[in-house]
């Protein structure tokens, strides 16, 4: 059984993961509008991953006999000034999510909730990856500066990231 405190904190994290998805979809839409189709694709994949993080927590709450409760999702920003600004903000956001996962872990440790601690370990590792992948792209953007060639190649590289799932509109299936 989850304590009320742990359950509430996990539910808040569902909302944060869904906001992450919202934020990355908003970034993808802005990137698409600015002509960075490959980078927009990378962000769409990132947004899908965030939904899967929310689902993981939702399933865990249910498995532990708790009650998943959904709250309103904050409205994300619509526009950014540059590619660099988008990735700087994404990194800042991931750092906040890392802090939030650490705070959840603190609760689990304080409450001697071994099952939640074990569940959260996956998220602790995932956050290292999340920050690292955004940081890596940011480093490349800083190296490229305003080189059109460099931006073109980076956009092509980011296009390679696979989506977690493909949504095929009804009637368009193969
Ligand atoms: Fe769910 O890791 Fe990003 O936010």
């Amino acid at each position: 059984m989850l304590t009320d405190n742990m359950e509430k904190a996990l539910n808040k994290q569902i909302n944060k993961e869904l906001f992450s998805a919202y934020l990355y979809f908003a970034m993808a839409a802005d990137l698409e509008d600015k002509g960075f189709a490959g980078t927009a694709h990378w962000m769409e994949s990132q947004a899908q991953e965030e939904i899967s993080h929310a689902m993981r927590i939702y399933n865990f709450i249910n498995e532990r006999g708790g009650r998943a409760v959904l709250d309103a999702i904050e409205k994300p920003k619509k526009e950014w000034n540059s590619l660099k600004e988008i990735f700087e903000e994404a990194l800042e956001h991931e750092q906040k999510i890392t802090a939030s996962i650490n705070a959840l872990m603190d609760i689990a440790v304080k409450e001697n909730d071994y099952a939640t601690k074990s569940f959260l370990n996956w998220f602790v590792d995932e956050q290292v990856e999340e920050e690292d992948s955004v940081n890596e792209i940011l480093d490349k953007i800083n190296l490229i500066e305003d080189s059109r060639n460099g931006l073109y190649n980076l956009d092509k590289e980011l296009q390679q990231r696979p989506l977690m799932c493909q949504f095929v509109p009804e009637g368009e299936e193969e």
Side-chain angles (χ1 to χ4, degrees):
M1 259 313 249
L2 290 168
T3 62
D4 278 358
N5 192 28
M6 191 78 253
E7 185 179 302
K8 257 188 214 139
L10 287 167
N11 269 313
K12 274 197 186 148
Q13 191 65 31
I14 291 185
N15 188 269
K16 287 180 191 176
E17 300 292 343
L18 290 175
F19 173 71
S20 300
Y22 237 39
L23 175 68
Y24 295 143
F25 271 132
M27 287 176 170
D30 193 35
L31 286 161
E32 190 74 54
D33 195 49
K34 287 178 165 61
F36 292 107
T39 317
H41 171 87
W42 189 95
M43 271 301 171
E44 280 165 27
S45 175
Q46 186 65 21
Q48 289 187 346
E49 212 176 280
E50 298 299 352
I51 294 173
S52 78
H53 294 171
M55 289 297 299
R56 244 175 213 269
I57 304 170
Y58 168 88
N59 287 332
F60 179 72
I61 293 174
N62 287 338
E63 273 167 23
R64 301 283 311 279
R67 174 71 162 91
V69 181
L70 300 180
D71 210 341
I73 304 169
E74 190 191 325
K75 184 176 174 178
K77 220 163 106 173
K78 186 180 164 206
E79 218 172 343
W80 287 262
N81 290 318
S82 63
L83 192 64
K84 186 174 168 175
E85 192 182 281
I86 287 180
F87 279 90
E88 279 172 346
E89 209 170 293
L91 181 60
E92 214 173 283
H93 179 71
E94 285 307 324
Q95 287 164 342
K96 276 192 205 148
I97 296 293
T98 300
S100 164
I101 295 291
N102 290 345
L104 283 175
M105 188 60 111
D106 285 344
I107 299 174
V109 169
K110 220 180 271 166
E111 296 188 351
N112 288 328
D113 182 345
Y114 301 111
T116 304
K117 261 172 68 180
S118 167
F119 169 73
L120 288 172
N121 275 331
W122 183 90
F123 280 89
V124 171
D125 294 344
E126 175 68 9
Q127 280 313 116
V128 174
E129 256 182 55
E130 292 276 85
E131 285 190 33
D132 183 52
S133 61
V134 176
N135 224 339
E136 211 176 281
I137 296 170
L138 199 51
D139 282 347
K140 285 182 184 165
I141 293 171
N142 284 327
L143 270 177
I144 290 166
E145 289 184 340
D146 288 331
S147 151
R148 281 173 181 267
N149 234 350
L151 287 172
Y152 176 77
N153 286 330
L154 177 65
D155 193 57
K156 264 174 67 177
E157 181 191 323
L158 295 179
Q159 174 81 53
Q160 303 312 312
R161 180 177 180 176
L163 289 172
M164 284 193 92
C165 46
Q166 295 274 3
F167 297 102
V168 183
E170 220 175 314
E172 287 180 21
E173 306 93 350
E174 303 257 305

